[in-house]
Amino acid sequence: MGFLAAATLGLAALIGAAAQAAPAHGIAMHGAPALEPGFRALPYANPEAPKGGRIVFGEVGGFDSLNPYIVKGRAPWAVRTLTVESLMGRSWDEPFSLYGLLAESVETPPDRSWVAFTLRPEARFSDGSPVTLDDVVWSMRTLGEQGLPGFRSSWRKVSAVERLGPRTVRFRFSEPDREMPLILGLRPILKKDRFAGRDFAQTTLEPLIGSGPYVVEAFEPGRFISFRRNPDYWGAHLGLNAGRHNFDEVRYEYFKDDNARFEAFKAGLVTIFRESDPVRWAQGYDFAAVREGLVVKEEIPNGRPSGMTGFVFNTRRPPFDDRRVRQALALAFDFEWINRTLHGGAYERIHSFFGNSELGFRGPLGADEARILGPHAAALAPEARSGAFAWPRSDGSGRNRANLRRARDLLAEAGWRVRDGVLRDADGRPLRFEILLSGPQYEAAAAVFADALRVLGVEARLRVVDPAQYQQRLTHYDYDMIVAGWAMSLSPGNEQRFYWGREGVRQPGTRNYMGVDDPAVEAAVDALLAAEDRPTFVAAARALDRALTTGVYVIPLWRSPVSRLAHRADLRHPERLPLYGDWTGFLPDVWWQEPR
């Protein structure tokens, strides 16, 4: 009788969960997706956009693989966005909402303890073969076991895979994580048979077989890669794709450095250029194509968080494992002078990882954040709890004397003294380190920083290496200091574990470049993933932002409030911009070329 009663209760629970879940056309991280079933097009796409033409990008560096989902090798990013699709597709006009792509529907209960996807019967790979559940399950498992670390960390939360019919598969989760249905919805789906008898984790220059709107047409490693629009693309009829994928050819040309890339744009070999130098933007575009109206300049605003770009301390190595040393070196960085002299005052300084949004921390530690951080809140620095934390400022004169005096005091507190003009610890070891760079973009700022550190008796050596060597050292955390960046969305989630999770202290290939191992950060990420409503989610993001920023793992650099794009005048985009502004889903996704 006890067994029957338990079985009955278990059946009732399953029936109750099923009753609360229903297939839907889309899913949002919090609340409901904005677009109704059967929507005509994304709000920032032009369904009347003409098809045809080409767009040519310039890239610095090169590639030696066409598999972007593994640790080994360097693959063009566009392989992901152009040739491979996922079960769901994202709208960049919402913080985090997905709509059916390869899947016609998604189903999940209120607690999101599982998710089920039903494939569209018409979904096809580029070779014409149908996308099947075998491909879906194989892709999920292979990426989770052999793919990038971010794929592996989330796959560990999948406790069971169940086929519910010829086109429906359900994934059950072993722990609470409300983002997991969306994470799996965005996993790339590859053709299983393509890797029969092959090692997925090894680099390859044979194009992947995906279901996306483009296929690789031609390439030469280190020189170019060209993608051709597939005229038989299976998903052209979907509202999610209306007004998208308009170019017949999307091409990427590779160059040794940014100057060569810019000269190629001026010569017409590249047709669109994202400008990162505000001085060149103001002074360097007086060339014939601009004067004749063949090239136009645009400044595109965005509503996404600032993210973080800066000089990154590798806290796995002394003396950067001491926060006081990190604070002292941050005091030596004179942002105001660098911004005025190198950039004409065009930039704003980055203040936190989620700055420029409601997710950025502000003021004293509040009750909501303290509850999320739990006992770890007391371990935060006093200025982090009080809200008095701020990055140092100077008068922009280049002297920065007050900050350098404070830096000396902090270094002395940490046990460092100047002897014979060199800053040394109690055992006489000098404070010297290497700033590893992959190109010239931040070299001038790093040189100014190194000069300021020399006043303190610190030796900072600059080293610029080729992209392949840089990537190798980055993967294995073989550096003292680098310049790195993290883009942030309005709906941060599982990627935060990949960025700051303690597993990344030793596991190669994560983006925990600074080696964060902080229980406050872990608690904030846990809360972020478990939040059931937007207010709780915002509080968790602010707690994470506070712990990361005030931990002084990075010396923040700068951000521009706009993206600067120069392009051929016949390249167009809709007037209506998405919430995220100039973002992955905007360029070249909804652009087109005007017919001649």
Side-chain angles (χ1 to χ4, degrees):
M1 291 295 293
F3 172 79
L4 290 175
T8 302
L9 288 172
L11 180 61
L14 287 174
I15 293 172
Q20 296 178 60
H25 74 298
I27 184 173
M29 184 63 202
H30 298 105
L35 302 179
E36 297 293 330
F39 63 89
R40 184 188 179 208
L42 293 170
Y44 55 91
N46 173 16
E48 308 303 325
K51 303 290 187 184
R54 71 199 293 255
I55 187 169
V56 183
F57 294 89
E59 296 286 328
V60 174
F63 62 93
D64 57 12
S65 173
L66 292 179
N67 185 349
Y69 305 115
I70 57 175
V71 172
K72 292 184 177 180
R74 299 178 72 242
W77 174 261
V79 170
R80 297 186 182 206
T81 57
L82 298 179
T83 71
V84 179
E85 291 181 314
S86 48
L87 295 169
M88 312 287 289
R90 187 165 187 171
S91 169
W92 294 102
D93 204 45
E94 302 171 54
F96 195 9
S97 291
L98 305 181
Y99 298 92
L101 185 53
L102 289 173
E104 66 183 12
S105 68
V106 58
E107 185 176 0
T108 188
D111 65 0
R112 295 193 175 178
S113 57
W114 55 265
V115 65
F117 301 99
T118 298
L119 284 176
R120 296 183 189 273
E122 71 272 29
R124 294 288 185 275
F125 287 113
S126 59
D127 64 356
S129 61
V131 179
T132 69
L133 289 189
D134 281 347
D135 298 306
V136 172
V137 174
W138 176 86
S139 296
M140 296 283 187
R141 179 167 286 117
T142 301
L143 291 168
E145 295 174 353
Q146 301 180 53
L148 294 168
F151 294 148
R152 301 181 194 186
S153 61
S154 56
W155 180 249
R156 284 196 291 268
K157 299 178 183 180
V158 175
S159 60
V161 180
E162 304 162 349
R163 301 189 188 214
L164 306 181
R167 293 189 290 116
T168 303
V169 61
R170 177 162 59 196
F171 300 91
R172 293 191 180 275
F173 306 127
S174 59
E175 59 185 85
D177 185 341
R178 297 189 60 79
E179 193 186 28
M180 278 299 294
L182 289 87
I183 292 298
L184 293 190
L186 285 177
R187 281 287 179 266
I189 304 302
L190 303 171
K191 186 176 173 66
K192 175 184 177 181
D193 291 348
R194 160 68 174 78
F195 286 93
R198 304 187 186 192
D199 185 353
F200 181 81
Q202 296 301 315
T203 60
T204 178
L205 285 172
E206 184 174 342
L208 304 178
I209 296 179
S211 61
Y214 289 85
V215 295
V216 174
E217 181 177 43
F219 65 90
E220 185 176 335
R223 289 195 58 195
F224 77 94
I225 184 167
S226 174
F227 300 89
R228 174 179 53 82
R229 187 162 60 89
N230 183 1
D232 300 319
Y233 171 51
W234 75 272
H237 64 289
L238 300 179
L240 185 68
N241 290 323
R244 299 171 61 200
H245 322 308
N246 300 312
F247 296 103
D248 283 345
E249 182 190 9
V250 179
R251 186 180 178 95
Y252 293 80
E253 296 280 353
Y254 285 82
F255 300 92
K256 181 179 179 181
D257 55 42
D258 186 64
N259 287 332
R261 185 170 66 107
F262 184 61
E263 291 301 317
F265 173 67
K266 289 168 62 176
L269 301 177
V270 170
T271 61
I272 189 162
F273 190 85
R274 187 186 301 273
E275 182 58 80
S276 60
D277 182 348
V279 175
R280 186 167 63 191
W281 183 255
Q283 303 173 7
Y285 281 77
D286 185 22
F287 53 89
V290 176
R291 292 193 298 269
E292 296 168 9
L294 300 176
V295 166
V296 296
K297 297 167 66 181
E298 287 192 70
E299 294 187 353
I300 299 178
N302 67 73
R304 66 181 184 268
S306 63
M308 178 58 71
T309 300
F311 289 107
V312 178
F313 297 101
N314 188 352
T315 65
R316 302 170 183 85
R317 300 180 174 184
F320 294 157
D321 54 350
D322 189 326
R323 182 177 181 270
R324 294 168 297 182
V325 173
R326 302 197 299 268
Q327 282 182 289
L329 270 57
L331 282 161
F333 182 72
D334 192 343
F335 168 80
E336 285 71 27
W337 188 85
I338 288 173
N339 190 38
R340 180 174 64 83
T341 57
L342 298 185
H343 307 133
Y347 286 127
E348 301 173 354
R349 189 165 198 191
I350 297 171
H351 292 288
S352 73
F353 290 76
F354 293 99
N356 193 46
S357 77
E358 66 169 342
L359 306 182
F361 83 98
R362 60 203 70 183
L365 180 72
D368 290 341
E369 286 184 58
R371 277 194 296 272
I372 287 167
L373 296 175
H376 314 301
L380 293 175
E383 65 270 26
R385 296 194 302 271
S386 69
F389 178 89
W391 295 105
R393 292 183 59 86
S394 75
D395 61 8
S397 66
R399 290 183 288 271
N400 200 26
R401 291 171 181 167
N403 286 338
L404 289 174
R405 284 195 295 269
R406 290 171 57 203
R408 284 197 184 96
D409 292 342
L410 276 170
L411 289 166
E413 182 183 323
W416 295 86
R417 298 285 193 280
V418 175
R419 279 176 278 171
D420 302 322
V422 177
L423 191 70
R424 300 179 185 275
D425 65 10
D427 296 323
R429 290 183 294 253
L431 203 167
R432 60 167 63 107
F433 64 93
E434 180 182 84
I435 303 176
L436 184 70
L437 302 172
S438 63
Q441 182 177 3
Y442 298 103
E443 193 170 1
V448 174
F449 183 35
D451 286 342
L453 292 174
R454 197 171 293 113
V455 176
L456 295 173
V458 177
E459 180 186 353
R461 305 181 304 275
L462 274 59
R463 185 176 182 189
V464 181
V465 298
D466 63 78
Q469 184 180 354
Y470 185 82
Q471 184 61 50
Q472 177 70 11
R473 293 184 62 176
L474 201 67
T475 297
H476 296 282
Y477 316 121
D478 181 19
Y479 48 82
D480 300 319
M481 177 179 282
I482 58 172
V483 176
W486 296 264
M488 297 296 177
S489 77
L490 291 166
S491 185
N494 273 278
E495 78 285 349
Q496 301 301 306
R497 188 86 70 198
F498 184 60
Y499 294 169
W500 335 115
R502 57 167 45 108
E503 287 186 357
V505 175
R506 293 181 175 83
Q507 179 183 343
T510 76
R511 298 197 66 199
N512 187 355
Y513 300 135
M514 61 275 276
V516 177
D517 186 359
D518 185 343
V521 169
E522 296 288 328
V525 174
D526 288 343
L528 197 72
L529 300 180
E532 297 185 8
D533 55 63
R534 188 70 184 177
T536 306
F537 179 82
V538 170
R542 289 178 177 176
L544 177 61
D545 194 43
R546 187 183 301 268
L548 287 171
T549 303
T550 62
V552 195
Y553 299 106
V554 176
I555 302 175
L557 293 177
W558 47 78
R559 67 177 292 270
S560 173
V562 297
S563 292
R564 302 177 180 93
L565 294 176
H567 58 85
R568 301 292 296 182
D570 58 354
L571 298 180
R572 306 289 178 82
H573 63 80
E575 291 185 14
R576 166 77 153 79
L577 296 175
L579 173 66
Y580 284 93
D582 173 20
W583 193 249
T584 303
F586 172 69
L587 175 65
D589 200 55
V590 296
W591 287 59
W592 68 87
Q593 184 173 21
E594 285 293 325
R596 297 181 179 178

